[in-house]
Amino acid sequence: MARLITVVDYNPNWPQAFEQEATLLRQALAGVLVEVHHIGSTSVPGLAAKPIIDILPEVNDLALLDAKAPQMEALGYEVMGEYGIPGRRYFRKGGDQRTHHLHAFLVGDAHAIRHLAFRDYLRAHPEVAKAYGELKREVAERSNNNIETYGDGKDPFIKIHERKALEWYARQR
């Protein structure tokens, strides 16, 4: 079965789905997990999204996290390593019809901050979130289920607003 790119209306059950998975992760990653965050579009109330729960675990040691690969596999995750981003550990669950993506970083990593800033910025700026949701629907329609085309279509918007989000986030702290 091919991977389908579908953007759906916000589902109020997504935070609960995150919490259920976070409980499993806290057990599986005991001793290395410092904090676990719900990120991505499913973490922004009202935002249309691909129905995949994005999770950002912050850890205190990447080698210890790597040693937890069997526990992650037992939860149904594919262990993908850095997967193109130095310092990240990426895990995915659900095969072609993904249910969860994990982007694990050391506590305070710039990539972790970037994800958290963008999430919080979208939560605080509903007009930006609305525009982002409309763009995602449009790009999904014309991507013909090609994930690279989908990502490329969102990239200019994300780059502009991620920069604004980081500036905004720094002022909030």
Side-chain angles (χ1 to χ4, degrees):
M1 176 184 236
R3 185 166 174 211
L4 300 177
I5 299 172
T6 307
V7 175
V8 300
D9 288 340
Y10 178 79
N11 184 333
N13 294 322
W14 286 337
Q16 180 183 355
F18 160 75
E19 285 300 335
Q20 289 172 339
E21 199 70 13
T23 297
L24 298 174
L25 292 169
R26 287 182 189 104
Q27 294 167 358
L29 300 178
V32 68
L33 182 68
V34 175
E35 187 66 57
V36 61
H37 305 277
H38 188 187
I39 62 166
S41 295
T42 63
S43 72
V44 180
L47 181 56
K50 293 190 319 280
I52 300 169
I53 305 299
D54 283 297
I55 300 173
L56 191 155
E58 287 187 287
V59 300
N60 56 23
D61 187 304
L62 291 176
L64 289 176
L65 177 60
D66 292 341
K68 298 277 189 175
Q71 290 89 329
M72 296 302 290
E73 289 169 343
L75 292 178
Y77 285 94
E78 288 180 81
V79 179
M80 306 298 293
E82 287 187 331
Y83 206 67
I85 299 178
R88 171 176 76 166
R89 296 302 184 268
Y90 176 64
F91 305 84
R92 61 189 186 194
K93 187 176 189 176
D96 283 340
Q97 300 310 313
R98 307 260 167 77
T99 59
H100 299 80
H101 290 162
L102 267 70
H103 311 268
F105 294 98
L106 288 173
V107 173
D109 184 280
H111 290 292
I113 292 167
R114 175 177 58 84
H115 282 291
L116 296 171
F118 191 63
R119 176 201 66 191
D120 291 354
Y121 181 79
L122 290 176
R123 286 176 174 175
H125 297 85
E127 70 286 355
V128 177
K130 183 176 188 275
Y132 185 40
E134 291 168 359
L135 173 66
K136 290 193 311 172
R137 287 182 191 277
E138 176 188 314
V139 172
E141 284 273 327
R142 61 183 156 99
S143 72
N144 199 28
N145 293 315
N146 181 303
I147 195 66
E148 288 80 23
T149 301
Y150 177 73
D152 290 347
K154 299 184 314 170
D155 194 54
F157 182 96
I158 291 171
K159 282 191 168 119
I160 290 167
H161 289 284
E162 193 173 80
R163 186 182 70 253
K164 292 178 180 182
L166 285 166
E167 292 168 1
W168 174 85
Y169 193 74
R171 288 191 306 270
Q172 304 307 306
R173 302 189 133 230

